[in-house]
Amino acid sequence: MPSPIRHIVMWRLRGETAEERFAARLKVKTLFEGLKGRIDGLTRIEVGLDVSDVDYACDVVLVSEFTDSASLKAYATHPEHLRVREELGDLRIGRFQVDYNIEEAGA
């Protein structure tokens, strides 16, 4: 039986000033949260904005869960997800990702 999968992505964003970086963070959060209920197999989506303000931190984290790896694969090319990526354009300057089976997390 296919197992649920967690997809975590963290980004560093463009912005010369604190205001520009904050606006970029809000844009990422708003766009990704807008995917709730729009993509089959996407069972959870949460977007967090960094509050640590340390120089090595990422700006935004996306934690999402999918029913199985096939759903995650379909998400990558889903028109709604592609629309979000296009709207973000080159706002992202660094990207880090981890995908794992949820059952394995507790082992």
Side-chain angles (χ1 to χ4, degrees), residues 8-12 56 58 60 62 93-98:
I8 300 173
V9 183
M10 296 184 298
W11 296 279
R12 302 250 4 209
Y56 54 84
C58 288
V60 180
L62 165 72
I93 57 174
R95 183 181 187 280
F96 306 91
Q97 176 177 325
V98 174

Side-chain angles (χ1 to χ4, degrees), residues 49-58:
L49 307 181
D50 179 62
V51 296
S52 71
D53 203 29
V54 295
D55 63 350
Y56 54 84
C58 288

